[in-house]
Amino acid sequence: MQKEVLIIIPAYNEEHNIEQVLKNLESPDIAEFADILVMNDASLDNTNWIAKAHRHAVVTHVFNLGYGSALQLGYKYAIRYHYKYVIQMDADGQHDVCNVTNIYKTLKTKYDGEYPDIVLGSRYLADSSPFEVSFLKELAYKMFRGIIKLITKRTIMDPTSGLQGLSWRAVLDYSKYGNFDDRYPDANMLTSMILKGYNVVEIPAVMHTRSYGMSMHSGLIKPIGYMFHMMLSIVGVVLRQKKHQIPQNVDSEKNKKEVK
């Protein structure tokens, strides 16, 4: 029987974490409505074999393409196999699997008369579990909140959350060429989707600190590169959106001519 949800797990060298994540996702209450796809981004360890041993779908890149490319290929897979929803989560164990059911329920609940297109699992809402971050990361989160608020008039408390649920139409948009950041799809993608009119809903989430391995933003150089890339990407999002907008006066003149 075709299930409604595809859980996409991008993974790179996560042999110490991914097995427990998969075991937790295999609980009957989640397996009832969701399939699992592991996007193995050319891991050098046993990530690939662990995922295959659990008999889940696995796509393995020959070369490391990056987090965003792994996600986008997963979206194409979801469209190809007609999944109604996608829930994406990390392979490092930071996203508690209890969030999956909550995100799924939220995707099927109307907000202001519309179903959500994107459901964000947030670390920074009143009912979220406690989660400590460094001063620099907190500063970055506040900056991205401010930028999104300035551009879209929306307050997104956790603009870099990788724990997300997506509707079919959001997945379709992301799956198209040029519509998704192949490296760091975070605040830039949220800004783009809000400007396009997609319904974004944020809910409290339970998250944990990483037990093994290193984050893709670890070190000193990577976070600087990430910030630089993100700022340029957000500027690009705004410029593209303005380019595609039709000025009101032009649209009005066109309508007048059609009436005549």
Side-chain angles (χ1 to χ4, degrees), residues 5-19:
V5 178
L6 178 67
I7 300 174
I8 300 176
I9 307 176
Y12 177 67
N13 293 342
E14 293 290 359
E15 64 178 2
H16 295 295
N17 300 308
I18 194 168
E19 183 158 29

Side-chain angles (χ1 to χ4, degrees), residues 14-35:
E14 293 290 359
E15 64 178 2
H16 295 295
N17 300 308
I18 194 168
E19 183 158 29
Q20 190 58 54
V21 172
L22 293 175
K23 285 181 178 178
N24 292 340
L25 287 172
E26 288 161 2
S27 64
D29 57 328
I30 295 177
E32 181 181 3
F33 63 82
D35 290 325

Side-chain angles (χ1 to χ4, degrees), residues 69-112:
S69 291
L71 280 175
Q72 190 179 48
L73 186 55
Y75 301 148
K76 293 178 184 292
Y77 181 102
I79 295 297
R80 170 67 178 80
Y81 290 100
H82 309 291
Y83 286 94
K84 189 173 182 180
Y85 306 107
V86 161
I87 296 175
Q88 61 190 55
M89 59 184 295
D90 293 346
D92 58 11
Q94 291 196 72
H95 300 156
D96 196 292
V97 298
C98 72
N99 297 300
V100 171
T101 303
N102 292 335
I103 290 174
Y104 178 50
K105 290 178 179 177
T106 305
L107 283 167
K108 299 175 68 121
T109 303
K110 284 187 176 182
Y111 288 79
D112 297 326

Side-chain angles (χ1 to χ4, degrees), residues 199-218:
N199 188 16
V200 179
V201 173
E202 199 170 12
I203 65 171
V206 177
M207 298 197 189
H208 311 287
T209 55
R210 173 188 277 269
S211 299
Y212 299 95
M214 298 177 64
S215 166
M216 64 178 177
H217 299 308
S218 60

Side-chain angles (χ1 to χ4, degrees), residues 18-74:
I18 194 168
E19 183 158 29
Q20 190 58 54
V21 172
L22 293 175
K23 285 181 178 178
N24 292 340
L25 287 172
E26 288 161 2
S27 64
D29 57 328
I30 295 177
E32 181 181 3
F33 63 82
D35 290 325
I36 297 170
L37 171 65
V38 176
M39 297 301 304
N40 174 35
D41 195 18
S43 296
L44 303 175
D45 61 7
N46 291 318
T47 296
N48 180 54
W49 308 114
I50 291 171
K52 286 185 174 180
H54 281 258
R55 299 183 180 277
H56 297 301
V58 180
V59 173
T60 297
H61 294 164
V62 178
F63 302 101
N64 183 265
L65 299 179
Y67 177 72
S69 291
L71 280 175
Q72 190 179 48
L73 186 55

